[in-house]
Amino acid sequence: MDSIDQERAKLAADAERELVRLWRAWRTIHEMCQDRGYELSEDEVRISLDTFRDRFADASGAPDRKKMTTSFKPTNDMLKKYTPLPTASNPNPVPQIGTIWIEFSTETAGIGVKPMRLFVHHITDHKFYTGILVTQAPVTPTALKLIPSVSHEATIETFQEQDLLVNITHHELVPKHIPLSAEEKKKLLERYRLKESQLPRIQTADPVAKYLGLRRGQVVKIIRKSETAGRYASYRWAI
């Protein structure tokens, strides 16, 4: 094999490794959206590597991130879970959730203000409720400051590809986390005569909380295995 053939073989191997990495991240993102409650078919979630290659690889066999954009609508159950309780001033509350947009950044260096601003504008201009930007490198602190500035219009989340190669919720040591609806939260606090601030807390930056998109004020039910009780539930308040 001459040097040209060796170089071609190396490029092909590098492209295949990159494709497999992106396929794993793609599957985790889809599993995450399904676990949050968005409408996805099993075929979308369980996409094979060959199907992924057919859809998203370029002529060289490398993944084309520009093609890897997708969006999902919430299920009826998700709409119900994210609908606030009626009040005297708001007797017919609307769901605090909507369509999610997911984009894989083509930037190989740190995500600065310009690419983040473009992403934020896309989310707000197209009226997406949530936007997830999957990056190859970290987002700079300055770029992150753009996210709170549009919090009244949309929820912006960021994940690095390397953090999506494995679905952390599939690990045997990670217990099941189930976000409660506003009604379920109310019943829980009434049953135990508690204020939400009396519950143990979970940071919204916690990896599982971030995976589920937990918001401040939400309560999550955590189901753990027990050698004596079989299973038991605890509750945490997101802050």
Short mmCIF file of all heavy atoms in Angstrom, two decimals, residues 8 11 19 23 26 46 55 90 96-97 99 114 160 164 180 182 195 207 212-213 228:
data_model
loop_
_atom_site.label_atom_id
_atom_site.label_comp_id
_atom_site.label_asym_id
_atom_site.label_seq_id
_atom_site.Cartn_x
_atom_site.Cartn_y
_atom_site.Cartn_z
N ARG A 8 -5.63 7.70 2.49
CA ARG A 8 -7.06 7.51 2.24
C ARG A 8 -7.68 6.58 3.27
O ARG A 8 -8.78 6.82 3.76
CB ARG A 8 -7.28 6.95 0.82
CG ARG A 8 -7.05 7.98 -0.29
CD ARG A 8 -7.16 7.31 -1.65
NE ARG A 8 -6.99 8.28 -2.73
CZ ARG A 8 -6.88 7.96 -4.00
NH1 ARG A 8 -6.90 6.67 -4.36
NH2 ARG A 8 -6.74 8.91 -4.91
N LEU A 11 -8.04 8.47 6.54
CA LEU A 11 -9.14 9.42 6.50
C LEU A 11 -10.48 8.70 6.61
O LEU A 11 -11.41 9.16 7.29
CB LEU A 11 -9.09 10.23 5.20
CG LEU A 11 -7.95 11.24 5.09
CD1 LEU A 11 -7.94 11.88 3.69
CD2 LEU A 11 -8.08 12.33 6.17
N LEU A 19 -18.32 9.28 12.74
CA LEU A 19 -19.71 8.93 12.46
C LEU A 19 -20.31 8.13 13.61
O LEU A 19 -21.45 8.39 14.03
CB LEU A 19 -19.79 8.13 11.16
CG LEU A 19 -21.21 7.88 10.65
CD1 LEU A 19 -21.73 9.11 9.90
CD2 LEU A 19 -21.24 6.66 9.75
N TRP A 23 -23.45 9.17 15.94
CA TRP A 23 -24.61 8.26 16.01
C TRP A 23 -24.99 8.00 17.47
O TRP A 23 -26.17 8.04 17.82
CB TRP A 23 -24.27 6.96 15.29
CG TRP A 23 -25.25 5.85 15.50
CD1 TRP A 23 -26.56 5.81 15.10
CD2 TRP A 23 -24.99 4.59 16.14
NE1 TRP A 23 -27.14 4.61 15.46
CE2 TRP A 23 -26.19 3.84 16.09
CE3 TRP A 23 -23.87 4.03 16.72
CZ2 TRP A 23 -26.29 2.55 16.62
CZ3 TRP A 23 -23.97 2.76 17.25
CH2 TRP A 23 -25.16 2.03 17.20
N TRP A 26 -26.52 11.17 18.86
CA TRP A 26 -27.84 11.34 18.24
C TRP A 26 -28.88 10.46 18.95
O TRP A 26 -30.00 10.90 19.24
CB TRP A 26 -27.73 10.98 16.76
CG TRP A 26 -29.00 11.01 15.98
CD1 TRP A 26 -29.82 9.95 15.68
CD2 TRP A 26 -29.61 12.15 15.34
NE1 TRP A 26 -30.87 10.36 14.91
CE2 TRP A 26 -30.77 11.70 14.68
CE3 TRP A 26 -29.26 13.50 15.27
CZ2 TRP A 26 -31.59 12.56 13.95
CZ3 TRP A 26 -30.08 14.35 14.55
CH2 TRP A 26 -31.23 13.89 13.90
N ARG A 46 -34.42 4.35 18.00
CA ARG A 46 -33.52 3.19 17.85
C ARG A 46 -32.84 3.15 16.48
O ARG A 46 -32.57 2.08 15.96
CB ARG A 46 -34.32 1.90 18.06
CG ARG A 46 -35.10 1.84 19.35
CD ARG A 46 -34.20 1.92 20.55
NE ARG A 46 -34.96 1.96 21.80
CZ ARG A 46 -34.44 2.27 22.98
NH1 ARG A 46 -33.15 2.54 23.06
NH2 ARG A 46 -35.19 2.31 24.06
N ARG A 55 -28.39 8.66 6.07
CA ARG A 55 -29.06 9.95 6.18
C ARG A 55 -28.09 11.12 6.37
O ARG A 55 -28.34 12.22 5.86
CB ARG A 55 -30.03 9.93 7.37
CG ARG A 55 -31.25 9.06 7.18
CD ARG A 55 -32.17 9.21 8.39
NE ARG A 55 -33.29 8.28 8.34
CZ ARG A 55 -34.20 8.16 9.30
NH1 ARG A 55 -34.11 8.91 10.38
NH2 ARG A 55 -35.19 7.29 9.17
N ASN A 90 -55.98 33.38 36.70
CA ASN A 90 -55.68 32.63 35.49
C ASN A 90 -56.44 31.30 35.53
O ASN A 90 -55.86 30.24 35.77
CB ASN A 90 -54.18 32.39 35.36
CG ASN A 90 -53.80 31.72 34.05
OD1 ASN A 90 -54.58 31.73 33.10
ND2 ASN A 90 -52.61 31.14 34.00
N GLN A 96 -46.96 25.19 29.72
CA GLN A 96 -45.69 25.90 29.68
C GLN A 96 -44.64 25.02 29.01
O GLN A 96 -43.56 24.75 29.54
CB GLN A 96 -45.26 26.28 31.10
CG GLN A 96 -46.25 27.17 31.84
CD GLN A 96 -46.47 28.49 31.13
OE1 GLN A 96 -45.54 29.26 30.94
NE2 GLN A 96 -47.71 28.75 30.72
N ILE A 97 -44.99 24.56 27.83
CA ILE A 97 -44.10 23.70 27.05
C ILE A 97 -44.53 23.81 25.59
O ILE A 97 -45.64 24.24 25.29
CB ILE A 97 -44.16 22.22 27.54
CG1 ILE A 97 -42.91 21.44 27.09
CG2 ILE A 97 -45.42 21.54 27.07
CD1 ILE A 97 -41.64 21.87 27.75
N THR A 99 -42.83 23.05 21.17
CA THR A 99 -41.93 22.33 20.27
C THR A 99 -40.46 22.60 20.62
O THR A 99 -40.09 23.71 20.97
CB THR A 99 -42.18 22.76 18.82
OG1 THR A 99 -43.56 22.53 18.50
CG2 THR A 99 -41.32 21.97 17.85
N LYS A 114 -21.06 34.94 18.62
CA LYS A 114 -21.70 34.98 17.30
C LYS A 114 -22.52 33.73 17.01
O LYS A 114 -23.71 33.83 16.67
CB LYS A 114 -20.66 35.22 16.22
CG LYS A 114 -21.27 35.35 14.83
CD LYS A 114 -20.20 35.66 13.78
CE LYS A 114 -20.84 35.77 12.40
NZ LYS A 114 -19.81 36.07 11.36
N GLN A 160 -22.51 19.06 25.33
CA GLN A 160 -21.36 18.70 24.50
C GLN A 160 -21.53 17.28 23.99
O GLN A 160 -22.07 16.41 24.68
CB GLN A 160 -20.06 18.81 25.30
CG GLN A 160 -19.50 20.23 25.37
CD GLN A 160 -18.08 20.24 25.91
OE1 GLN A 160 -17.82 20.69 27.03
NE2 GLN A 160 -17.14 19.74 25.11
N LEU A 164 -22.80 13.04 25.58
CA LEU A 164 -23.97 12.32 25.11
C LEU A 164 -23.62 10.96 24.53
O LEU A 164 -24.49 10.26 24.03
CB LEU A 164 -24.69 13.15 24.03
CG LEU A 164 -25.25 14.49 24.49
CD1 LEU A 164 -25.75 15.28 23.29
CD2 LEU A 164 -26.39 14.30 25.48
N LEU A 180 -42.81 15.51 38.52
CA LEU A 180 -44.22 15.56 38.87
C LEU A 180 -44.92 16.71 38.15
O LEU A 180 -44.32 17.75 37.88
CB LEU A 180 -44.41 15.73 40.38
CG LEU A 180 -43.81 14.65 41.29
CD1 LEU A 180 -44.23 14.92 42.74
CD2 LEU A 180 -44.21 13.25 40.86
N ALA A 182 -47.88 19.73 38.15
CA ALA A 182 -48.27 20.70 39.19
C ALA A 182 -49.30 20.10 40.14
O ALA A 182 -49.24 20.31 41.36
CB ALA A 182 -48.82 21.96 38.53
N LYS A 195 -44.00 22.36 52.95
CA LYS A 195 -43.76 23.38 51.94
C LYS A 195 -42.69 22.83 51.01
O LYS A 195 -41.86 22.01 51.40
CB LYS A 195 -43.26 24.67 52.60
CG LYS A 195 -44.27 25.33 53.53
CD LYS A 195 -43.67 26.59 54.14
CE LYS A 195 -44.67 27.26 55.08
NZ LYS A 195 -44.09 28.49 55.71
N PRO A 207 -26.60 16.31 36.45
CA PRO A 207 -26.66 15.66 35.14
C PRO A 207 -28.02 15.05 34.78
O PRO A 207 -28.48 15.19 33.65
CB PRO A 207 -25.57 14.59 35.24
CG PRO A 207 -24.58 15.15 36.21
CD PRO A 207 -25.42 15.89 37.23
N LEU A 212 -33.33 15.63 31.97
CA LEU A 212 -34.79 15.71 31.96
C LEU A 212 -35.32 17.13 31.73
O LEU A 212 -36.53 17.32 31.59
CB LEU A 212 -35.35 15.18 33.29
CG LEU A 212 -35.14 13.69 33.54
CD1 LEU A 212 -35.56 13.33 34.96
CD2 LEU A 212 -35.93 12.86 32.52
N GLY A 213 -34.41 18.11 31.70
CA GLY A 213 -34.85 19.48 31.49
C GLY A 213 -35.62 20.04 32.68
O GLY A 213 -36.53 20.86 32.51
N THR A 228 -34.41 -4.44 51.29
CA THR A 228 -35.45 -4.81 52.26
C THR A 228 -36.85 -4.43 51.78
O THR A 228 -37.80 -5.21 51.92
CB THR A 228 -35.20 -4.11 53.61
OG1 THR A 228 -35.09 -2.70 53.40
CG2 THR A 228 -33.92 -4.63 54.23
#
